[in-house]
PDB file of all heavy atoms in Angstrom:
ATOM      1  N   CYS J  70      -1.667  22.402  -6.301  1.00  0.00           N
ATOM      2  CA  CYS J  70      -2.542  21.494  -7.076  1.00  0.00           C
ATOM      3  C   CYS J  70      -3.992  21.753  -6.729  1.00  0.00           C
ATOM      4  O   CYS J  70      -4.387  21.888  -5.576  1.00  0.00           O
ATOM      5  CB  CYS J  70      -2.301  19.997  -6.660  1.00  0.00           C
ATOM      6  SG  CYS J  70      -3.291  18.806  -7.385  1.00  0.00           S
ATOM      7  N   ARG J  71      -4.785  21.979  -7.802  1.00  0.00           N
ATOM      8  CA  ARG J  71      -6.149  22.337  -7.587  1.00  0.00           C
ATOM      9  C   ARG J  71      -7.095  21.332  -8.293  1.00  0.00           C
ATOM     10  O   ARG J  71      -6.819  20.929  -9.468  1.00  0.00           O
ATOM     11  CB  ARG J  71      -6.445  23.652  -8.175  1.00  0.00           C
ATOM     12  CG  ARG J  71      -7.930  24.107  -8.152  1.00  0.00           C
ATOM     13  CD  ARG J  71      -8.174  25.527  -8.692  1.00  0.00           C
ATOM     14  NE  ARG J  71      -7.555  26.548  -7.629  1.00  0.00           N
ATOM     15  CZ  ARG J  71      -7.505  27.848  -7.857  1.00  0.00           C
ATOM     16  NH1 ARG J  71      -8.081  28.312  -8.997  1.00  0.00           N
ATOM     17  NH2 ARG J  71      -6.944  28.636  -7.030  1.00  0.00           N
ATOM     18  N   ALA J  72      -8.083  20.882  -7.657  1.00  0.00           N
ATOM     19  CA  ALA J  72      -9.071  19.898  -8.147  1.00  0.00           C
ATOM     20  C   ALA J  72     -10.364  20.664  -8.692  1.00  0.00           C
ATOM     21  O   ALA J  72     -10.764  21.606  -8.047  1.00  0.00           O
ATOM     22  CB  ALA J  72      -9.467  18.851  -7.214  1.00  0.00           C
ATOM     23  N   SER J  73     -10.921  20.137  -9.812  1.00  0.00           N
ATOM     24  CA  SER J  73     -12.098  20.865 -10.361  1.00  0.00           C
ATOM     25  C   SER J  73     -13.291  20.661  -9.463  1.00  0.00           C
ATOM     26  O   SER J  73     -14.352  21.269  -9.641  1.00  0.00           O
ATOM     27  CB  SER J  73     -12.332  20.312 -11.778  1.00  0.00           C
ATOM     28  OG  SER J  73     -12.583  18.909 -11.786  1.00  0.00           O
ATOM     29  N   GLN J  74     -13.287  19.703  -8.596  1.00  0.00           N
ATOM     30  CA  GLN J  74     -14.226  19.401  -7.577  1.00  0.00           C
ATOM     31  C   GLN J  74     -13.623  18.798  -6.400  1.00  0.00           C
ATOM     32  O   GLN J  74     -12.475  18.326  -6.454  1.00  0.00           O
ATOM     33  CB  GLN J  74     -15.480  18.642  -8.054  1.00  0.00           C
ATOM     34  CG  GLN J  74     -15.126  17.168  -8.502  1.00  0.00           C
ATOM     35  CD  GLN J  74     -16.371  16.500  -9.235  1.00  0.00           C
ATOM     36  OE1 GLN J  74     -16.578  16.706 -10.389  1.00  0.00           O
ATOM     37  NE2 GLN J  74     -16.999  15.705  -8.373  1.00  0.00           N
ATOM     38  N   SER J  75     -14.329  18.788  -5.219  1.00  0.00           N
ATOM     39  CA  SER J  75     -13.732  18.271  -4.105  1.00  0.00           C
ATOM     40  C   SER J  75     -13.324  16.820  -4.125  1.00  0.00           C
ATOM     41  O   SER J  75     -14.031  16.010  -4.719  1.00  0.00           O
ATOM     42  CB  SER J  75     -14.780  18.411  -2.819  1.00  0.00           C
ATOM     43  OG  SER J  75     -14.122  17.892  -1.650  1.00  0.00           O
ATOM     44  N   VAL J  76     -12.054  16.619  -3.655  1.00  0.00           N
ATOM     45  CA  VAL J  76     -11.581  15.169  -3.617  1.00  0.00           C
ATOM     46  C   VAL J  76     -11.332  14.818  -2.203  1.00  0.00           C
ATOM     47  O   VAL J  76     -10.568  13.842  -1.847  1.00  0.00           O
ATOM     48  CB  VAL J  76     -10.258  15.008  -4.505  1.00  0.00           C
ATOM     49  CG1 VAL J  76     -10.600  15.257  -5.975  1.00  0.00           C
ATOM     50  CG2 VAL J  76      -9.167  15.848  -3.964  1.00  0.00           C
ATOM     51  N   SER J  77     -11.855  15.590  -1.231  1.00  0.00           N
ATOM     52  CA  SER J  77     -11.693  15.349   0.177  1.00  0.00           C
ATOM     53  C   SER J  77     -10.164  15.354   0.543  1.00  0.00           C
ATOM     54  O   SER J  77      -9.582  16.357   0.144  1.00  0.00           O
ATOM     55  CB  SER J  77     -12.380  14.007   0.624  1.00  0.00           C
ATOM     56  OG  SER J  77     -12.329  13.925   2.020  1.00  0.00           O
ATOM     57  N   PHE J  78      -9.718  14.272   1.172  1.00  0.00           N
ATOM     58  CA  PHE J  78      -8.308  14.216   1.363  1.00  0.00           C
ATOM     59  C   PHE J  78      -7.678  13.091   0.510  1.00  0.00           C
ATOM     60  O   PHE J  78      -6.531  12.700   0.670  1.00  0.00           O
ATOM     61  CB  PHE J  78      -8.154  13.812   2.888  1.00  0.00           C
ATOM     62  CG  PHE J  78      -8.515  14.809   3.799  1.00  0.00           C
ATOM     63  CD1 PHE J  78      -9.775  14.881   4.437  1.00  0.00           C
ATOM     64  CD2 PHE J  78      -7.569  15.792   4.260  1.00  0.00           C
ATOM     65  CE1 PHE J  78     -10.159  15.767   5.290  1.00  0.00           C
ATOM     66  CE2 PHE J  78      -7.935  16.738   5.068  1.00  0.00           C
ATOM     67  CZ  PHE J  78      -9.261  16.716   5.649  1.00  0.00           C
ATOM     68  N   ASN J  79      -8.337  12.733  -0.561  1.00  0.00           N
ATOM     69  CA  ASN J  79      -7.852  11.628  -1.419  1.00  0.00           C
ATOM     70  C   ASN J  79      -6.995  12.206  -2.508  1.00  0.00           C
ATOM     71  O   ASN J  79      -7.148  12.134  -3.734  1.00  0.00           O
ATOM     72  CB  ASN J  79      -8.981  10.860  -2.019  1.00  0.00           C
ATOM     73  CG  ASN J  79      -9.858  10.179  -1.002  1.00  0.00           C
ATOM     74  OD1 ASN J  79      -9.278   9.403  -0.217  1.00  0.00           O
ATOM     75  ND2 ASN J  79     -11.147  10.471  -1.027  1.00  0.00           N
ATOM     76  N   LEU J  80      -5.802  12.625  -2.049  1.00  0.00           N
ATOM     77  CA  LEU J  80      -4.850  13.337  -2.955  1.00  0.00           C
ATOM     78  C   LEU J  80      -3.487  12.780  -2.587  1.00  0.00           C
ATOM     79  O   LEU J  80      -3.031  12.761  -1.413  1.00  0.00           O
ATOM     80  CB  LEU J  80      -4.856  14.832  -2.717  1.00  0.00           C
ATOM     81  CG  LEU J  80      -4.177  15.795  -3.604  1.00  0.00           C
ATOM     82  CD1 LEU J  80      -2.687  15.902  -3.449  1.00  0.00           C
ATOM     83  CD2 LEU J  80      -4.508  15.522  -5.049  1.00  0.00           C
ATOM     84  N   ALA J  81      -2.646  12.425  -3.648  1.00  0.00           N
ATOM     85  CA  ALA J  81      -1.292  11.935  -3.484  1.00  0.00           C
ATOM     86  C   ALA J  81      -0.304  12.776  -4.240  1.00  0.00           C
ATOM     87  O   ALA J  81      -0.859  13.414  -5.307  1.00  0.00           O
ATOM     88  CB  ALA J  81      -1.205  10.438  -3.869  1.00  0.00           C
ATOM     89  N   TRP J  82       0.835  12.828  -3.829  1.00  0.00           N
ATOM     90  CA  TRP J  82       1.917  13.504  -4.623  1.00  0.00           C
ATOM     91  C   TRP J  82       2.932  12.517  -5.008  1.00  0.00           C
ATOM     92  O   TRP J  82       3.349  11.620  -4.251  1.00  0.00           O
ATOM     93  CB  TRP J  82       2.634  14.579  -3.774  1.00  0.00           C
ATOM     94  CG  TRP J  82       1.712  15.831  -3.602  1.00  0.00           C
ATOM     95  CD1 TRP J  82       0.988  16.050  -2.442  1.00  0.00           C
ATOM     96  CD2 TRP J  82       1.612  16.972  -4.394  1.00  0.00           C
ATOM     97  NE1 TRP J  82       0.354  17.262  -2.574  1.00  0.00           N
ATOM     98  CE2 TRP J  82       0.705  17.891  -3.757  1.00  0.00           C
ATOM     99  CE3 TRP J  82       2.162  17.374  -5.636  1.00  0.00           C
ATOM    100  CZ2 TRP J  82       0.341  19.150  -4.299  1.00  0.00           C
ATOM    101  CZ3 TRP J  82       1.894  18.525  -6.099  1.00  0.00           C
ATOM    102  CH2 TRP J  82       0.972  19.442  -5.450  1.00  0.00           C
ATOM    103  N   TYR J  83       3.567  12.672  -6.286  1.00  0.00           N
ATOM    104  CA  TYR J  83       4.614  11.760  -6.759  1.00  0.00           C
ATOM    105  C   TYR J  83       5.816  12.654  -7.125  1.00  0.00           C
ATOM    106  O   TYR J  83       5.564  13.748  -7.690  1.00  0.00           O
ATOM    107  CB  TYR J  83       4.194  10.846  -7.910  1.00  0.00           C
ATOM    108  CG  TYR J  83       3.021  10.020  -7.501  1.00  0.00           C
ATOM    109  CD1 TYR J  83       1.739  10.462  -7.481  1.00  0.00           C
ATOM    110  CD2 TYR J  83       3.184   8.671  -7.090  1.00  0.00           C
ATOM    111  CE1 TYR J  83       0.603   9.623  -7.270  1.00  0.00           C
ATOM    112  CE2 TYR J  83       2.167   7.851  -6.793  1.00  0.00           C
ATOM    113  CZ  TYR J  83       0.921   8.388  -6.791  1.00  0.00           C
ATOM    114  OH  TYR J  83      -0.179   7.573  -6.411  1.00  0.00           O
ATOM    115  N   GLN J  84       6.989  12.061  -7.052  1.00  0.00           N
ATOM    116  CA  GLN J  84       8.248  12.676  -7.629  1.00  0.00           C
ATOM    117  C   GLN J  84       8.625  11.777  -8.820  1.00  0.00           C
ATOM    118  O   GLN J  84       8.677  10.524  -8.661  1.00  0.00           O
ATOM    119  CB  GLN J  84       9.278  12.753  -6.577  1.00  0.00           C
ATOM    120  CG  GLN J  84      10.635  13.334  -7.102  1.00  0.00           C
ATOM    121  CD  GLN J  84      11.656  12.914  -5.985  1.00  0.00           C
ATOM    122  OE1 GLN J  84      12.035  11.805  -5.695  1.00  0.00           O
ATOM    123  NE2 GLN J  84      12.231  14.043  -5.386  1.00  0.00           N
ATOM    124  N   GLN J  85       8.974  12.398  -9.877  1.00  0.00           N
ATOM    125  CA  GLN J  85       9.660  11.647 -11.008  1.00  0.00           C
ATOM    126  C   GLN J  85      10.936  12.293 -11.414  1.00  0.00           C
ATOM    127  O   GLN J  85      10.900  13.427 -11.972  1.00  0.00           O
ATOM    128  CB  GLN J  85       8.697  11.501 -12.201  1.00  0.00           C
ATOM    129  CG  GLN J  85       9.180  10.521 -13.249  1.00  0.00           C
ATOM    130  CD  GLN J  85       8.235  10.338 -14.383  1.00  0.00           C
ATOM    131  OE1 GLN J  85       7.448  11.211 -14.752  1.00  0.00           O
ATOM    132  NE2 GLN J  85       8.171   9.127 -14.997  1.00  0.00           N
ATOM    133  N   ARG J  86      12.035  11.535 -11.239  1.00  0.00           N
ATOM    134  CA  ARG J  86      13.219  11.959 -11.679  1.00  0.00           C
ATOM    135  C   ARG J  86      13.511  11.552 -13.107  1.00  0.00           C
ATOM    136  O   ARG J  86      12.853  10.597 -13.538  1.00  0.00           O
ATOM    137  CB  ARG J  86      14.412  11.541 -10.767  1.00  0.00           C
ATOM    138  CG  ARG J  86      14.371  12.006  -9.388  1.00  0.00           C
ATOM    139  CD  ARG J  86      15.327  11.228  -8.491  1.00  0.00           C
ATOM    140  NE  ARG J  86      15.343  11.827  -7.115  1.00  0.00           N
ATOM    141  CZ  ARG J  86      15.619  11.023  -6.023  1.00  0.00           C
ATOM    142  NH1 ARG J  86      15.938   9.715  -6.170  1.00  0.00           N
ATOM    143  NH2 ARG J  86      15.619  11.593  -4.880  1.00  0.00           N
ATOM    144  N   PRO J  87      14.393  12.200 -13.915  1.00  0.00           N
ATOM    145  CA  PRO J  87      14.586  11.908 -15.370  1.00  0.00           C
ATOM    146  C   PRO J  87      14.961  10.337 -15.473  1.00  0.00           C
ATOM    147  O   PRO J  87      15.854   9.835 -14.839  1.00  0.00           O
ATOM    148  CB  PRO J  87      15.767  12.769 -15.846  1.00  0.00           C
ATOM    149  CG  PRO J  87      15.611  13.859 -14.874  1.00  0.00           C
ATOM    150  CD  PRO J  87      15.155  13.360 -13.519  1.00  0.00           C
TER     151      PRO J  87
END
Side-chain angles (χ1 to χ4, degrees):
Chain J
C70 174
R71 175 175 291 178
S73 60
Q74 63 189 78
S75 177
V76 298
S77 185
F78 293 93
N79 295 309
L80 191 285
W82 289 94
Y83 300 86
Q84 176 194 67
Q85 187 176 33
R86 295 171 177 149

